[in-house]
């Protein structure tokens, strides 16, 4: 029997602003933890992510994989390498496989469709896709093939900041695509970067409200981490505490959504990802990207930077979860939003 679900807490824009400013962290974090427990018990859902290509046609000014960055050592995994990584995800007891790449159209619709069919034929894994802004025809084909979830992040809902951060993207088209993904029946995810250069608490509060209005199944938020090979290289890193406040507020306003504790937290402050599990988050996504290209998925410094091998990395994450009185879960971990 599923745990009872916490009621959505309607917070006004002014209340969100005050909480972002640290007006009552003790209340915020304790209420977020309670809401998470009511929705998901003590479970922390483990998702195995396979980052199968770092090629990207976009030129986002915050991302190390941007198309204009000539210092990146690019890679694409072969079809068989992706399937082997999926086998590992299943063998290590993950409930979900996340297939992620840059916005790389070299992988065509049929390529991804075939992967989905082969993975579903062999494993009982939920399949999440995070492949960038693809056509509705492709998205429909992948849903019909058996993909369960799709993540398409906006990073911000502020039009000016979006244009400055994502110069090749169209705000309205991307938002429409997100709504199209929902209409196709995917469990749908979106997300933001906290402390993105130029972001204010007023913008961030509005981002939280816009995310909540979308009635999402997955919501990602993580702090900005400056990458030296981007136009935002000299900007200051985001605040871990601010990111924790955002995940806690999002939990209160979206009690049934899956909210991951992101690796960007760990990149800025060791232990911050595990602490986020006490502040509204309920998912962790360790990388199963093969070791020979593991460090090349370099969207920000500290991403996939661990020198340890997969088994050791997983052991560390599981121990951190247990030390907080929580339980690593191999369940599919579907959203309880609807």
């Amino acid at each position: 029997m599923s745990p009872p679900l916490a009621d959505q807490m309607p917070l006004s824009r002014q209340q969100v602003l005050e909480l972002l400013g640290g007006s009552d962290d003790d209340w915020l974090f304790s209420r977020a933890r309670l809401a998470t427990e009511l929705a998901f018990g003590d479970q922390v859902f483990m998702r195995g992510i396979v980052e199968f290509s770092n090629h990207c046609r976009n030129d986002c000014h915050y991302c190390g994989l941007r198309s204009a960055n000539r210092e990146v050592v690019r890679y694409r995994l072969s079809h068989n390498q992706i399937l082997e990584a999926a086998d590992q995800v299943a063998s290590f007891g993950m409930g979900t496989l996340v297939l992620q790449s840059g916005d790389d159209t070299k992988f065509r619709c049929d390529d991804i469709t075939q992967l989905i069919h082969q993975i579903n034929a062999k494993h009982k894994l939920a399949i999440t896709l995070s492949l960038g802004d693809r056509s509705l025809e492709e998205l429909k084909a992948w849903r019909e093939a058996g993909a369960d979830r799709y993540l398409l992040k906006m990073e911000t809902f502020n039009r000016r900041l979006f244009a400055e951060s994502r110069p090749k993207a169209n705000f309205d088209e991307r938002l429409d695509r997100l709504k199209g993904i929902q209409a196709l029946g995917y469990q749908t995810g979106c997300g933001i970067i906290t402390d993105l250069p130029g972001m204010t608490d007023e913008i961030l509060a509005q981002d939280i409200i816009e995310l909540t209005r979308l009635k999402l199944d997955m919501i990602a938020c993580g702090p900005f981490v400056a990458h030296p090979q981007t136009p935002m290289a000299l900007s200051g890193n985001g605040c871990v505490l601010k990111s924790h406040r955002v995940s806690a507020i999002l939990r209160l306003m979206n009690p049934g959504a899956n909210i991951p504790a992101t690796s960007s937290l760990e990149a800025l402050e060791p232990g911050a990802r595990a602490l986020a599990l006490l502040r509204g988050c309920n998912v962790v996504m360790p990388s199963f990207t093969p070791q020979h290209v593991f460090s090349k998925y370099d969207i920000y410094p500290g991403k996939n930077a661990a020198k340890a091998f997969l088994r050791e990395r997983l052991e560390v994450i599981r121990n951190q979860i247990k030390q907080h009185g929580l339980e690593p879960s191999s369940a599919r971990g579907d959203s309880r939003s609807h």
Side-chain angles (χ1 to χ4, degrees):
M1 185 173 178
S2 297
L5 191 62
D7 292 330
Q8 181 187 36
M9 185 175 292
L11 295 172
S12 69
R13 191 170 184 277
Q14 184 57 38
Q15 287 173 313
V16 172
L17 269 171
E18 290 172 1
L19 290 168
L20 285 174
S23 63
D24 197 341
D25 283 344
D26 289 344
W27 177 87
L28 173 61
F29 293 144
S30 64
R31 290 300 295 262
R33 183 175 186 181
L34 177 61
T36 310
E37 288 175 353
L38 285 172
F40 301 104
D42 63 358
Q43 292 184 98
V44 174
F45 300 127
M46 304 283 285
R47 323 276 210 216
I49 187 166
V50 178
E51 297 135 332
F52 61 86
S53 168
N54 70 352
H55 289 259
C56 191
R57 59 180 171 170
N58 295 322
D59 195 33
C60 302
H61 283 184
Y62 52 83
C63 181
L65 302 187
R66 56 194 292 264
S67 58
N69 185 4
R70 299 292 179 246
E71 298 183 50
V72 183
V73 179
R74 304 284 179 178
Y75 73 88
R76 290 186 178 102
L77 297 184
S78 70
H79 190 92
N80 284 338
Q81 286 173 324
I82 297 171
L83 291 176
E84 288 169 5
D87 290 344
Q88 275 201 314
V89 169
S91 70
F92 276 93
M94 306 290 110
T96 293
L97 165 68
V98 183
L99 292 176
Q100 185 172 68
S101 68
D103 207 326
D104 182 7
T105 53
K106 180 82 171 180
F107 285 89
R108 302 194 181 279
C109 182
D110 289 348
D111 298 326
I112 303 300
T113 300
Q114 188 179 3
L115 282 168
I116 294 167
H117 281 306
Q118 289 181 277
I119 291 163
N120 275 333
K122 192 171 183 181
H123 303 295
K124 292 183 178 179
L125 291 166
I127 297 178
T128 299
L129 303 178
S130 180
L131 310 181
D133 192 358
R134 306 296 287 255
S135 71
L136 280 178
E137 290 77 19
E138 290 172 303
L139 293 161
K140 184 173 186 288
W142 299 336
R143 177 73 185 121
E144 291 173 350
D148 301 280
R149 307 169 186 146
Y150 202 96
L151 174 64
L152 184 69
K153 293 179 70 179
M154 291 293 290
E155 312 305 8
T156 180
F157 290 83
N158 181 273
R159 287 177 179 273
R160 175 189 59 79
L161 197 55
F162 182 96
E164 292 173 357
S165 306
R166 309 184 64 108
K168 287 189 175 182
N170 181 292
F171 181 93
D172 293 304
E173 288 178 3
R174 196 171 181 89
L175 189 55
D176 285 346
R177 188 83 73 231
L178 186 65
K179 294 174 181 176
I181 290 166
Q182 287 179 302
L184 288 170
Y186 283 97
Q187 291 184 44
T188 305
C190 188
I192 57 174
I193 297 175
T194 63
D195 287 325
L196 194 64
M199 181 174 279
T200 63
D201 278 0
E202 287 75 15
I203 292 173
L204 185 52
Q206 192 61 38
D207 282 349
I208 291 169
I209 291 167
E210 295 298 333
L211 282 171
T212 301
R213 281 177 180 160
L214 286 168
K215 298 182 179 177
L216 296 158
D217 301 288
M218 304 176 284
I219 307 177
C221 63
F224 170 76
V225 184
H227 193 293
Q229 295 157 11
T230 68
M232 294 181 172
L234 299 180
S235 300
N237 288 331
C239 172
V240 166
L241 180 57
K242 179 71 66 66
S243 183
H244 282 171
R245 287 172 182 156
V246 171
S247 62
I249 295 167
L250 285 168
R251 171 60 63 207
L252 297 182
M253 297 175 74
N254 305 269
N258 281 310
I259 303 178
T262 64
S263 55
S264 55
L265 290 166
E266 199 70 11
L268 292 182
E269 188 177 301
R273 176 172 54 184
L275 184 58
L277 299 171
L278 302 179
R279 296 177 170 180
C281 296
N282 70 307
V283 172
V284 293
M285 299 196 296
S287 176
F288 280 72
T289 301
Q291 200 72 25
H292 71 284
V293 293
F294 178 71
S295 64
K296 293 182 175 62
Y297 201 78
D298 182 30
I299 54 179
Y300 50 76
K303 167 69 174 168
N304 290 8
K307 302 298 183 187
F309 286 100
L310 174 61
R311 188 179 299 276
E312 296 166 338
R313 297 198 309 268
L314 288 176
E315 191 65 24
V316 168
I317 293 170
R318 287 193 169 113
N319 285 338
Q320 287 177 330
I321 292 169
K322 291 176 180 178
Q323 284 166 6
H324 284 305
L326 301 168
E327 191 60 35
S329 174
S330 60
R332 282 173 54 99
D334 291 316
S335 160
R336 300 197 64 211
S337 289
H338 309 300

